[in-house]
Amino acid sequence: MERKSLGSMDMYNIPRVCKACGGVMIFKGVGEYRCENCQEVDYDDYGKVRLYIEEHRGATAAQIEQAVGVPQRTIRRLLKDGRIEVAEGSKTFLRCEICGKSIRSGQYCPECEIKVHRNLEAQQRDLLRKNEHGFGMDVKDSSEGQKRFKRER
């Protein structure tokens, strides 16, 4: 299994070589990989967690870790990335990183997510406005208002 970065601190396992025959594992979607030779199926950490949650709704991160061997910090990263979510009615929840409101997945509540996106859009507009004056227009030199090129005779 190869480790792939999920962010600055977490990693998760991806099967690259078939455990049964040594063939190449091909990604098939939603965390599933299939051997190109023997058709053996294996899962990355996301696939393992997703399958376990489908069969055991409401399982805690500790239960998932014990059952499938995926570390709790990887499970938290999957929650923060919005790939999985806390079950409805669970006593466990995440908090919005801006306002602290309870959320089921991601980093922000819907209201703060809209604010974050609007802020990013405003920053992009400002950046575009600064750069829309054209090529070479922002270059100031001492010859402003004077001819810069003289015809030779």
Side-chain angles (χ1 to χ4, degrees), residues 54-68:
E54 285 177 0
E55 295 173 7
H56 303 90
R57 295 218 179 265
T60 65
Q63 291 167 334
I64 296 167
E65 179 183 35
Q66 186 174 15
V68 298

Side-chain angles (χ1 to χ4, degrees), residues 123-136:
Q123 289 175 1
Q124 285 297 316
R125 278 189 210 94
D126 290 345
L127 186 61
L128 286 173
R129 279 190 203 110
K130 288 178 184 175
N131 293 329
E132 71 183 12
H133 40 62
F135 179 74

Side-chain angles (χ1 to χ4, degrees), residues 4-119:
K4 180 179 178 184
S5 177
L6 266 183
S8 59
M9 61 183 200
D10 289 318
M11 306 289 251
Y12 71 104
N13 292 312
I14 296 174
R16 296 288 181 208
V17 178
C18 179
K19 295 174 186 172
C21 74
V24 176
M25 299 298 285
I26 307 296
F27 179 69
K28 293 297 182 182
V30 288
E32 182 180 311
Y33 294 78
R34 188 174 306 261
C35 177
E36 68 180 358
N37 295 336
C38 70
Q39 303 304 308
E40 181 78 16
V41 175
D42 200 356
Y43 298 91
D44 62 16
D45 286 350
Y46 165 67
K48 291 174 186 175
V49 170
R50 185 184 60 82
L51 284 174
Y52 188 81
I53 290 171
E54 285 177 0
E55 295 173 7
H56 303 90
R57 295 218 179 265
T60 65
Q63 291 167 334
I64 296 167
E65 179 183 35
Q66 186 174 15
V68 298
V70 175
Q72 289 185 47
R73 73 171 174 237
T74 301
I75 296 167
R76 280 191 298 275
R77 184 80 254 155
L78 292 170
L79 284 164
K80 291 255 182 206
D81 289 345
R83 297 188 77 190
I84 60 174
E85 62 182 35
V86 174
E88 232 176 290
S90 175
K91 294 175 186 173
T92 307
F93 51 86
L94 300 172
R95 294 223 178 253
C96 172
E97 292 181 5
I98 295 175
C99 70
K101 188 185 293 185
S102 297
I103 55 176
R104 293 177 52 204
S105 71
Q107 295 175 296
Y108 310 112
C109 68
E111 295 82 15
C112 290
E113 188 162 358
I114 289 170
K115 290 175 189 173
V116 166
H117 286 288
R118 286 186 180 153
N119 186 26

